[in-house]
Amino acid sequence: MYSVEQTQALMKATHEFLAISDGNIPAQKIDLLSDVLRYHEWRYSVLNDPSIADAEYDTLFDALKRIEAADSSLIKADSPTQRVSSDLTESFESAEHLTPMLSLANSYNGEDLQEFDRRVRELGGLSEDDSVEYSVEPKYDGGSIALLYDGDRFVRGTTRGNGARGENVTNNLRVVKSVPLKAAFAAAGINRAELRGEVLIRKDIFKQVNEARELDGKTIFANPRNAATGGLRMKDPSEVAERQMATVVYQIGFMEPEGKHGEPYTTHSSRLDLLEQLGFLVPQRGRAVLDSIDKVIEHCEQQEADREKYIWELDGMVV
C-alpha cells in the first residue's frame, strides 16, 4: 500500500504537524494533512498497528476540521472528516448489484471436497493427472455487503439483500474506517469496481461493546454478527461508528475494464493481492493457494482446529 519512501514522508509530516504548538496547520497543507490522516486510518483499521496515539490522531483530525470550517470550498467528498454524515437516514432505498451476489454451496467433510474437485475437472475437461490450484480463505461470520467504486471514489455501499438487490447503506459504511473513501483503481487500469465483503466486529471489541451496553442498562447483543448487521441499518451514522466495525473485502465481483493495458487479473488470489495493495482489509490468516484438493482438505482441517485464534468469528472456509 505505502512504499518506504511514502511512509517516511507521511511520518515526517505527522511529527511536523503535531509539533505546531497552537495546532493551527496552514490551509495550504490540507491535502498533505488529509493524506496523513488516511495513512493513520489505514494503520489502525487495516493493519491493526497504529503508529501514533489516539489523542494525536484526534489533534490532527481537529486541525483538518478547523481548516474546512474556515473555508468550506476546501471540503472534498473523500476528506477524512466526511465519513460521518450529520443526516439521519429515515429509510434505506434498494439498489441493484452490478452482478448478483450468489450463495455458496456447503461442504462438511473431505468427501464433499473430493466431489467438488471431481466436478471441477469434469467441467474443465481435465484429467486426474492435471494440476488444479485452489484459493482457500476464511469465511467470516458477518453481514455481507457490496462496495461500489467509480473513478477511484467510494460511491455506494449495499447489503446483500436478495442477491440481486440490497439496501443502500452508504452513509453507514462511510464511517467504517477500513472502507477507503478513495482507492487508486485507475492506476491499476480499472475505472469502476464492485467489491464483495463482510462487515464484522472483532471478538475483543464485541466484548467491550457489550460490557458498555450492560453498564448503560441496554440489551446486550447475542453475537458479533447480529451487532454488525444491526449496525448497518441504524439511522444515525454516528451511532454506527460507536460499534467499531470493520469490513473485510474478499472478492471483486465486477470491474471495467479488466486491468491495466488490457491485462486482466485472471485469478482470485491476484485480485485479492490487488485489493490489499489498494489499502483494503482482505483475508490474511488462513489464506492460501494450494495445488491439490488433498492439501485443501488438510488446510481446512488445520484452520478448524485453530478457529479460536481468529480475531473475528469464523463460519468455515471458502474454496
Side-chain angles (χ1 to χ4, degrees):
M1 175 60 178
Y2 292 95
S3 68
V4 173
E5 292 76 14
Q6 289 172 320
T7 298
Q8 291 173 342
L10 290 167
M11 286 305 300
K12 181 175 183 287
T14 297
H15 296 311
E16 290 175 350
F17 288 152
L18 290 172
I20 297 175
S21 57
D22 61 3
N24 290 318
I25 297 170
Q28 60 265 34
K29 297 283 188 178
I30 187 171
D31 289 340
L32 178 57
L33 177 56
S34 296
D35 287 342
V36 164
L37 286 165
R38 292 188 192 101
Y39 169 74
H40 291 298
E41 284 182 353
W42 174 75
R43 295 277 314 194
Y44 181 89
S45 302
V46 176
L47 296 189
N48 193 28
D49 183 25
S51 52
I52 59 173
D54 290 352
E56 292 175 317
Y57 176 88
D58 291 342
T59 295
L60 298 175
F61 189 83
D62 290 342
L64 178 60
K65 287 199 296 185
R66 285 195 296 272
I67 294 172
E68 293 177 342
D71 184 355
S72 61
S73 69
L74 296 176
I75 301 175
K76 296 181 179 179
D78 59 356
S79 168
T81 66
Q82 300 305 296
R83 283 193 176 275
V84 181
S85 168
S86 59
D87 298 327
L88 298 183
T89 302
E90 295 302 324
S91 62
F92 296 98
E93 297 179 352
S94 69
E96 186 172 358
H97 304 308
L98 298 188
T99 54
M101 297 181 69
L102 303 178
S103 299
L104 295 171
N106 291 327
S107 168
Y108 299 100
N109 52 52
E111 288 75 18
D112 289 342
L113 288 174
Q114 293 283 2
E115 173 60 19
F116 173 60
D117 180 68
R118 186 195 66 76
R119 294 200 308 273
V120 166
R121 293 175 183 280
E122 181 180 286
L123 291 170
L126 304 173
S127 72
E128 291 185 3
D129 296 328
D130 290 317
S131 177
V132 178
E133 284 191 331
Y134 290 101
S135 180
V136 187
E137 66 203 52
K139 182 182 184 299
Y140 300 115
D141 191 15
S144 297
I145 49 91
L147 307 174
L148 179 60
Y149 284 79
D150 195 341
D152 285 357
R153 298 187 185 278
F154 172 54
V155 295
R156 191 183 73 194
T158 52
T159 63
R160 180 181 182 275
N162 64 7
R165 300 182 67 87
E167 290 181 306
N168 187 329
V169 290
T170 304
N171 284 344
N172 286 350
L173 284 169
R174 286 178 67 88
V175 309
V176 180
K177 290 186 178 180
S178 53
V179 176
L181 299 183
K182 183 179 181 181
F185 282 102
I190 300 169
N191 297 329
R192 189 162 65 140
E194 187 177 64
L195 318 179
R196 278 84 183 272
E198 294 277 321
V199 172
L200 307 158
I201 297 179
R202 267 185 9 216
K203 289 187 283 189
D204 59 328
I205 292 177
F206 174 71
K207 182 180 178 181
Q208 296 169 13
V209 169
N210 259 353
E211 288 173 349
R213 290 180 67 85
E214 191 170 27
L215 287 173
D216 292 339
K218 298 178 181 178
T219 303
I220 63 172
F221 297 118
N223 52 59
R225 184 181 190 279
N226 286 357
T229 55
L232 280 177
R233 303 194 74 257
M234 296 179 73
K235 294 183 177 181
D236 186 348
S238 65
E239 293 184 12
V240 179
E242 293 176 2
R243 297 200 184 184
Q244 302 180 62
M245 300 189 296
T247 292
V248 175
V249 175
Y250 57 77
Q251 186 181 26
I252 301 179
F254 171 90
M255 63 180 180
E256 64 176 19
E258 294 192 345
K260 196 170 185 178
H261 309 306
E263 296 178 9
Y265 297 93
T266 56
T267 65
H268 177 68
S269 59
S270 69
R271 294 184 177 193
L272 283 178
D273 290 341
L274 170 65
L275 291 172
E276 184 176 18
Q277 293 165 13
L278 294 178
F280 291 91
L281 181 56
V282 301
Q284 292 292 345
R285 184 187 186 94
R287 179 179 155 203
V289 175
L290 304 166
D291 61 7
S292 75
I293 200 65
D294 289 333
K295 290 180 181 178
V296 169
I297 294 169
E298 181 181 356
H299 183 71
C300 289
E301 290 173 346
Q302 182 60 56
Q303 299 314 302
E304 170 64 24
D306 290 343
R307 71 185 301 161
E308 293 306 317
K309 297 179 181 179
Y310 281 81
I311 61 175
W312 291 296
E313 291 287 351
L314 204 62
D315 196 27
M317 301 295 289
V318 178
V319 182

